[in-house]
Amino acid sequence: MSTSPEYATFHFHALHHADQPLLLPNAWDVISAVALAGAGYAAVGTTSLGVAAAHGYPDGRGLAEARDATMALALRLNGRLACPYTIDVEGGFGGDAGQVGDLAAELAEAGAAGLNLEDGLPGGEGLQDPVRQAESLRAVKERAPGLFLNARIDTHWLADSPPPLSVTLERAETYLAAGADGIFVPGVIADEDVSVLVAEIPAPVNILFAPGRHTVSRLADLGVRRISTGSLLFRTALQATLTAADAIRTGRQGSTGAAGAGGEVLGYEEVQRLVGEE
């Protein structure tokens, strides 16, 4: 970025209080982040699934290898984007509060403007105790006070029978008291549930975009301040790869062909330009 890290974090905070919600596309490597930033998005996030899977690891297991891959990506993005970037760190990769605080300090040093910290336990083994999660949140704000700390609440994520919204709201209150700047509740779909979260949480509410169920304009009308794509772009890109390869193999290279459903492919020279090659 041509601007200072301090300005990037200030700008990223401000984007959560603008007239329109922040539409945050989530990248999984340098080229996807550079391409999204170059397409004009106001900020870029990372997807923990995409980063872990791209390196051959499962998501949400708190693996040291996933932490290393995430940190390496954050470092490589420093100075490469024309917009702020925020990093998804799962639940802190299995670290205690002090280690999560250290991670936040490293990310701030790497130029990140924010981080996303979830309260789901590694391997989908339920939820972190909210008091313990609050300790990690406080550690983040102590070590990296400028970062936009997005506290993810997993009460509705991958849950067949989510608890009442009151449980989510209780966690949100605890996390905000610990210093969180925003609240992210993935898995909430219904308009009425989104409306309750927005009305009851005195901070920017982040919703995970659900294709076929959400529109940006409708979420904006409901008062959502941040809309994340999560792993959607990564999974879409992977499916497009399979579709293109299959089209080549079967000879079905018409309007969909090797280019996938959109019929367009970035040229070799364009990719080289995006990564900075002359």
Side-chain angles (χ1 to χ4, degrees), residues 105-116:
E106 291 180 53
L107 291 173
E109 183 67 22
L115 65 81
N116 192 77

Side-chain angles (χ1 to χ4, degrees), residues 128-269:
Q128 182 66 266
D129 177 79
V131 174
R132 183 172 180 181
Q133 185 72 2
E135 293 174 356
S136 293
L137 295 169
R138 277 192 290 270
V140 169
K141 296 307 287 187
E142 289 171 0
R143 297 296 307 282
L147 292 182
F148 186 97
L149 175 53
N150 202 38
R152 178 174 136 176
I153 300 175
D154 281 359
T155 49
H156 288 64
W157 183 238
L158 303 180
D160 293 331
S161 300
L165 280 179
S166 58
V167 175
T168 306
L169 294 172
E170 288 172 3
R171 285 180 174 262
E173 182 178 8
T174 298
Y175 298 167
L176 290 175
D181 298 295
I183 297 295
F184 180 24
V185 190
V188 171
I189 303 296
D191 285 5
E192 53 268 30
D193 291 339
V194 174
S195 295
V196 170
L197 293 176
V198 170
E200 298 296 329
I201 295 175
V205 171
N206 184 182
I207 294 296
L208 181 67
F209 184 82
R213 302 293 300 275
H214 290 151
T215 65
V216 170
S217 61
R218 180 55 181 160
L219 290 174
D221 289 342
L222 293 173
V224 172
R225 303 314 311 150
R226 173 164 155 176
I227 303 168
S228 297
T229 61
S231 65
L232 175 62
L233 302 183
F234 170 73
R235 291 181 288 110
T236 300
L238 189 57
Q239 182 60 59
T241 298
L242 294 172
T243 299
D246 188 62
I248 295 170
R249 178 174 60 184
T250 60
R252 294 182 290 103
Q253 298 184 58
S255 59
T256 57
E264 297 180 0
V265 176
L266 284 178
Y268 178 87
E269 295 80 5

